[in-house]
Amino acid sequence: MRNLFLTGASGCLGHYVLERLAQQMDPAHPTQPAYHLYVLIREPTRLRLPIERFPAPITLVPGDLMRIGEQATLLRQMDGLIHMAAAWGDPIAAWGVNVTHTLELLSLLDPDRCQQVIYFSTASLLNHALEPLAVAGRAGTDYIRSKYEMLMRRPESCFWPDRILTLYPTLLFGGSPHHPYSHITSGLKDVFRWLDLIRFLRVDASFHFIHAADIAQMVAHWVAHPPGGGDWVLGNPPLSLNQCVEQVCAYYKKTIYFRVPLPVRLFRSLAFLFRVQLSEWDEYCLHHRHFVYPAACPESLGMVSQFPTVATLLDAYL
């Protein structure tokens, strides 16, 4: 049985990953769990999963990434790390959690024992060729800039490059009575209240999306079959915003009679009208509206996605 240390398990993605790993059995001993999971968590009450019902032993480790040094002895007993914790909003927390204490966390692992680090970043940092965007590090939000900084500082870890697998999720969906809702999922109903207007608009933009359950499936595969280091963007095949609206309208049986294109200059005019100062990062996102990558989904690993289409998301959440 391998010891795995998880951070960020109280979030949407973390719940799905914890749940999936807690149900994995050892292929060599099918009656035994594959892992002992050690879960760093600030507020155990935020964990919605019935962890006592899973076959895997789960040890809740009360603590905070900002005080990760308190877990130094425990971390040296880990065979693997899945680092999902991140911070945004508060600049001090963002840089502390996303950079300083992430590097400290990696330094506390025993390089002779720990064979795998799975680290979650964000696809917003990359261009279409999976190269880091300098503008993200220079002009992004505190969250984006701190994640960019961590990306640049990965080589400071002794696990780089052969044992750090960096994952870059695209638009993340997920949530249920036993899983917290992702930010974008919780906002779906509000957006679709405007569908009768949105269906007549055309916007030149593209994106990927992926459900947390599908990411958890991929993580479980990589934990069981460590691929070494590497960078993977996680997402279903790209979808244009116009295609997305068409699929939603088809789901609701709403007809699109015509569509009015929305030019970029309109967004700039609205910003001027409402006295909103567009940042360099805002301008970049307006000019580069096709967030498309060579992305991976469960099918890329020979598995089957649970949420491969817009319709499957609508079935689950609307």
Side-chain angles (χ1 to χ4, degrees), residues 25-268:
M25 306 305 286
D26 188 338
H29 307 281
T31 61
Q32 298 180 17
Y35 315 113
H36 186 153
L37 303 173
Y38 293 83
V39 180
L40 182 71
I41 190 162
R42 285 183 301 174
E43 301 176 34
T45 56
R46 292 181 59 192
L47 203 59
R48 303 183 185 181
L49 296 171
I51 60 175
E52 68 283 351
R53 299 181 188 176
F54 295 127
I58 299 175
T59 300
L60 299 184
V61 182
D64 189 314
L65 201 66
M66 299 285 269
R67 303 189 308 275
I68 194 60
E70 297 172 358
Q71 313 303 332
T73 301
L74 176 62
L75 284 165
R76 293 192 68 80
Q77 302 171 39
M78 295 299 113
D79 301 300
L81 166 68
I82 302 174
H83 183 31
M84 299 172 283
W88 54 87
D90 178 0
I92 295 176
W95 287 88
V97 169
N98 300 341
V99 184
T100 306
H101 297 290
T102 289
L103 289 169
E104 182 184 9
L105 169 62
L106 295 176
S107 73
L108 294 173
L109 298 166
D110 182 354
D112 292 326
R113 175 162 183 169
C114 183
Q115 296 304 305
Q116 182 183 45
V117 171
I118 296 180
Y119 165 66
F120 278 84
S121 187
T122 172
S124 302
L125 304 180
L126 305 176
N127 65 17
H128 304 309
L130 304 189
E131 300 165 335
L133 283 169
V135 66
R138 182 176 67 249
T141 63
D142 286 307
Y143 171 73
I144 294 291
R145 287 188 292 114
S146 60
K147 279 292 192 178
Y148 181 91
E149 177 74 8
M150 182 59 216
L151 201 61
M152 296 296 100
R153 295 182 65 178
R154 287 181 300 174
E156 295 179 22
S157 170
C158 64
F159 296 97
W160 174 266
D162 299 330
R163 284 180 282 171
I164 295 183
L165 181 65
T166 305
L167 304 181
Y168 304 85
T170 50
L171 294 182
L172 179 70
F173 287 86
S176 80
H178 294 297
H179 308 82
Y181 287 89
S182 72
H183 294 294
I184 192 168
T185 307
S186 56
L188 275 179
K189 291 182 179 179
D190 291 334
V191 171
F192 289 139
R193 287 194 184 102
W194 295 90
L195 184 60
D196 284 334
L197 172 61
I198 292 172
R199 62 179 164 153
F200 298 122
L201 304 176
R202 180 180 295 278
V203 179
D204 184 28
S206 305
F207 63 94
H208 300 263
F209 73 86
I210 192 164
H211 195 280
D214 287 329
I215 293 181
Q217 184 182 179
M218 299 172 78
V219 168
H221 172 83
W222 280 317
V223 172
H225 309 283
D231 295 86
W232 293 71
V233 171
L234 307 181
N236 289 312
L239 190 67
S240 76
L241 191 55
N242 296 319
Q243 288 174 322
C244 180
V245 171
E246 290 162 8
Q247 292 179 24
V248 173
C249 287
Y251 183 90
Y252 282 110
K253 297 181 172 55
K254 289 182 177 288
T255 303
I256 300 175
Y257 298 103
F258 62 87
R259 304 181 89 168
V260 177
L262 290 184
V264 172
R265 64 178 179 273
L266 175 61
F267 294 100
R268 292 197 174 96

